[in-house]
């Protein structure tokens, strides 16, 4: 007889691969809680009931691997990476010492080395982190330690007021990092961007001088390659020149550190993020090490430099390299390149289709796979100069989003930004995506919004 646990795993896999017709099956929270019967009880349940639980979890979850899921910066599924994810969970080890994770210590080192080589570094350091936010936090923390190593022992009271610089459209993790590390969100200086969402280097220079005039000490510049909403790329070379002149740590460029999120466009699945450093002086370890004697004994029978856990702020650390390594082994660098090229081809097709249709107004020409646009319903066309135009337009995207989710046909996000009222952001990365899916998306937006 097949063991109950094995049945549950098999059913979970089948639910994942089932060709769901809908992206989601929306239920209000109270109804969903009742359907799932979430209460935990004293006694266990029989196998047939557990299997039904698994079916229900899959049924009412959002199908992020559905080709019409455009809602986030991740989508689709790579089955080699998925196999790596299953194996990671089954082996259930922690990536902190060679003795408990020998395969994965070596594998992580190889994958990080390959990622650094693609950035352009022949050597350096790095570590996999639980998401891009944590990778950005690592970068800020290491930058502060390099500038003020005494902070590790004496804390923030020993430091001057510090200043961080990032663009107006950078990820909110920069603000979180400043708050988490005691720097303070008021000391994050936002640099102006152009119409495409790219940081303006001249304003960075002026903002650095402004911070100095207020008594703050600049130490960290966070640039972005592919902003969350518009997919904008900050001009790295002129920003790097400013950082060199000012002696500042620059994150995301060829001087100091980079956050790379393979769980997004590379499709490794959540979560898979790496912080890469050009540094070869072991800053990462010096900054974060606590030298726990029960884990990192120096008289072990093997090379203790393989015990990489003290570079991390965590103790237990999940293996995130296997899924990326296995996928890379399967498709090669060439296959990954072809996926990126295909995503840009799909993006160009979508933009061309929008330009052919009345009612679709692009925010601007996409720099990446983020396509940002308004849908102008017939009732608002030609009324751009009306005093209530923006107010009425701001209500269009939320209503269409509600309708698409309650009908389960597709998902894409919307947001306001700066002086722009709510507009859609469609992310085009899924390898399961076809031109037919994108045509469906445009048709569906028209169907859901023409009466507004």
């Amino acid at each position: 007889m097949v063991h109950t646990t094995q049945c549950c795993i098999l059913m979970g896999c089948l639910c994942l691969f089932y060709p769901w017709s809908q992206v989601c099956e929306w239920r209000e929270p109270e109804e969903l809680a009742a359907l799932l019967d979430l209460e935990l009880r004293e006694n266990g349940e029989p196998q047939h009931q557990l299997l039904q639980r698994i079916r229900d979890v899959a049924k009412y979850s959002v199908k992020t691997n559905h080709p019409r899921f455009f809602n986030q910066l991740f989508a689709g599924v790579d089955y080699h990476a998925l196999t790596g994810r299953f194996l990671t969970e089954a082996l259930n080890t922690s990536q902190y010492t060679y003795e408990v994770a020998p395969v994965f210590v070596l594998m992580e080192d190889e994958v990080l080395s390959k990622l650094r080589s693609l950035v352009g570094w022949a050597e350096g350091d790095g570590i996999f982190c639980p998401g891009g936010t944590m990778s950005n936090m690592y970068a800020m923390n290491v930058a502060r330690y390099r500038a003020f190593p005494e902070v590790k022992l004496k804390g923030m009271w020993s430091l001057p007021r510090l200043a961080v610089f990032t663009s107006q459209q950078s990820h909110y993790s920069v603000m979180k990092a400043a708050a988490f590390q005691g720097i303070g969100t008021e000391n994050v200086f936002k640099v102006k961007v152009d119409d495409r969402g790219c940081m303006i280097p001249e304003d960075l220079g002026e903002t650095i001088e402004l911070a100095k005039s207020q008594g703050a000490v600049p130490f960290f510049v966070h640039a972005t390659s592919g902003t969350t909403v518009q997919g904008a790329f900050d001009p790295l070379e002129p920003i790097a020149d400013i950082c060199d002149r000012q002696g500042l740590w620059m994150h995301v460029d060829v001087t100091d550190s980079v956050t790379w999120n393979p769980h997004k466009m590379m499709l490794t699945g959540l979560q898979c993020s790496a912080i890469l450093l050009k540094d070869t002086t072991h800053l990462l370890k010096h900054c974060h090490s606590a030298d726990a004697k029960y884990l990192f004994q120096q008289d072990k029978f093997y090379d203790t430099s393989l015990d990489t856990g003290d570079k991390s702020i965590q103790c237990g650390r999940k293996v995130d390299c296997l899924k990326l390594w296995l996928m890379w082994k399967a498709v090669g660098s060439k296959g990954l390149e072809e996926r990126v090229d295909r995503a840009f081809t799909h993006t160009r097709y979508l933009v061309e289709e929008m330009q052919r249709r009345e009612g679709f107004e692009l925010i601007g020409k996409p720099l990446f796979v983020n396509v940002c646009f308004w849908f102008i319903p017939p009732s608002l066309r030609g009324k751009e100069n009306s005093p209530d135009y923006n107010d009425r337009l701001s209500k269009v995207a939320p209503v269409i989003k509600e309708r698409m989710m309650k009908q389960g046909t597709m998902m894409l996000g919307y947001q306001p930004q700066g002086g722009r009222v709510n507009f859609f952001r469609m992310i085009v990365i899924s390898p399961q995506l076809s031109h037919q899916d994108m045509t469906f998306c445009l048709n569906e937006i028209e169907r859901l919004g023409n009466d507004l």
Side-chain angles (χ1 to χ4, degrees):
M1 178 177 290
V2 180
H3 193 274
T4 302
T5 303
Q6 293 172 311
C7 285
C8 289
I9 293 172
L10 178 60
M11 181 57 69
C13 295
L14 291 175
C15 287
L16 180 63
F17 299 138
Y18 185 82
W20 300 97
S21 61
Q22 292 184 295
V23 177
C24 60
E25 293 203 26
W26 175 261
R27 295 291 187 276
E28 295 297 332
E30 297 80 7
E31 180 188 4
L32 182 58
L35 285 168
L36 295 175
D37 187 16
L38 295 171
E39 181 185 352
L40 299 174
R41 301 180 177 88
E42 291 296 319
N43 297 318
E45 297 180 340
Q47 177 176 315
H48 74 274
Q49 197 163 10
L50 290 175
L51 294 178
Q52 185 56 49
R53 300 283 188 218
I54 292 174
R55 293 188 190 99
D56 289 342
V57 167
K59 179 179 180 180
Y60 296 112
S61 292
V62 173
K63 314 305 182 296
T64 63
N65 59 340
H66 195 290
R68 292 169 187 169
F69 177 82
F70 306 99
N71 206 69
Q72 313 298 147
L73 294 170
F74 61 88
V77 61
D78 176 275
Y79 297 109
H80 306 100
L82 183 61
T83 302
R85 292 155 71 184
F86 287 150
L87 186 54
T88 295
E89 296 300 330
L91 292 172
N92 190 40
T93 194
S94 179
Q95 180 118 27
Y96 42 36
T97 63
Y98 184 78
E99 64 183 278
V100 297
V103 172
F104 301 125
V105 165
L106 299 179
M107 185 181 293
E108 181 179 59
D109 182 66
E110 178 62 29
V111 174
L112 290 172
S113 177
K114 183 64 175 180
L115 292 175
R116 285 194 302 269
S117 72
L118 293 175
V119 173
W121 300 335
E123 54 186 355
D125 203 354
I127 196 169
F128 277 90
C129 303
T133 290
M134 289 304 301
S135 293
N136 288 338
M137 287 184 175
Y138 270 80
M140 189 180 295
N141 203 39
V142 171
R144 181 176 62 178
Y145 177 81
R146 187 192 68 164
F148 302 97
E150 65 270 22
V151 70
K152 184 175 179 180
L153 295 177
K154 298 181 179 180
M156 286 295 292
W157 70 269
S158 64
L159 305 186
R161 176 190 172 195
L162 300 180
V164 171
F165 304 87
T166 193
S167 87
Q168 293 172 332
Q169 294 192 16
S170 67
H171 193 262
Y172 65 87
S173 60
V174 180
M175 300 293 283
K176 283 180 174 283
F180 184 74
Q181 295 173 25
I183 294 168
T185 57
E186 288 187 354
N187 295 314
V188 177
F189 290 78
K190 296 293 184 72
V191 181
K192 293 177 183 177
V193 297
D194 59 24
D195 290 339
R196 302 170 301 166
C198 306
M199 183 189 291
I200 301 173
E202 294 77 11
D203 191 64
L204 171 62
E206 294 174 5
T207 306
I208 290 172
E209 296 305 318
L210 173 64
K212 288 180 178 179
S213 71
Q214 296 177 359
V217 178
F219 81 103
F220 183 75
V221 174
H222 182 282
T224 308
S225 291
T227 56
T228 306
V229 177
Q230 287 186 260
F233 286 74
D234 291 337
L236 299 184
E237 290 188 6
I239 294 173
D241 290 341
I242 293 172
C243 290
D244 286 343
R245 290 197 300 270
Q246 297 279 354
L248 308 182
W249 183 288
M250 180 176 172
H251 185 52
V252 188
D253 86 310
V254 293
T255 54
D256 296 308
S257 59
V258 168
T259 289
W260 192 323
N261 296 318
H263 63 235
K264 294 180 180 176
M265 199 170 195
M266 291 179 76
L267 307 171
T268 57
L270 291 164
Q271 60 201 24
C272 191
S273 177
I275 172 70
L276 308 174
L277 290 85
K278 191 178 182 181
D279 170 72
T280 58
T281 66
H282 306 294
L283 269 176
L284 201 56
K285 183 175 181 179
H286 295 323
C287 181
H288 298 131
S289 64
D291 194 27
K293 301 301 182 186
Y294 71 95
L295 273 179
F296 307 115
Q297 305 94 332
Q298 295 305 298
D299 55 356
K300 291 182 178 180
F301 62 91
Y302 60 83
D303 181 1
T304 56
S305 68
L306 295 170
D307 291 350
T308 57
D310 232 7
K311 294 194 292 187
S312 170
I313 61 173
Q314 302 167 252
C315 179
R317 186 163 65 92
K318 186 174 181 178
V319 173
D320 286 329
C321 60
L322 173 56
K323 52 197 171 189
L324 176 55
W325 177 86
L326 190 59
M327 177 184 69
W328 211 318
K329 279 287 191 180
V331 304
S333 300
K334 186 65 176 177
L336 296 175
E337 178 185 353
E338 289 171 355
R339 286 182 182 176
V340 174
D341 291 343
R342 192 182 314 125
F344 277 93
T345 298
H346 286 325
T347 301
R348 287 191 293 270
Y349 172 83
L350 179 64
V351 169
E352 290 168 1
E353 284 296 301
M354 285 184 177
Q355 291 172 334
R356 292 190 184 102
R357 298 188 183 215
E358 188 178 8
F360 289 89
E361 182 179 333
L362 288 163
I363 298 297
K365 183 180 179 180
L367 297 177
F368 196 39
V369 293
N370 308 38
V371 181
C372 298
F373 63 95
W374 286 288
F375 175 68
I376 315 296
S379 66
L380 288 178
R381 293 171 195 169
K383 298 181 179 179
E384 293 80 4
N385 295 323
S386 300
D388 62 345
Y389 178 81
N390 282 333
D391 181 61
R392 292 173 63 189
L393 180 59
S394 70
K395 296 178 172 63
V396 172
V399 173
I400 293 177
K401 177 66 176 284
E402 178 182 0
R403 291 176 176 179
M404 73 174 67
M405 289 200 66
K406 288 186 174 179
Q407 296 179 34
T409 54
M410 62 181 187
M411 283 182 65
L412 64 155
Y414 73 87
Q415 63 285 302
Q417 187 180 61
R420 299 182 177 113
V421 299
N422 285 326
F423 58 89
F424 286 112
R425 181 198 68 167
M426 187 169 172
I427 307 297
V428 185
I429 59 173
S430 172
Q432 284 77 42
L433 190 61
S434 68
H435 287 181
Q436 182 181 0
D437 292 311
M438 289 183 287
T439 300
F440 173 89
C441 179
L442 299 183
N443 291 341
E444 187 70 355
I445 290 173
E446 291 175 335
R447 183 183 75 83
L448 297 171
N450 270 339
D451 66 332
L452 298 176

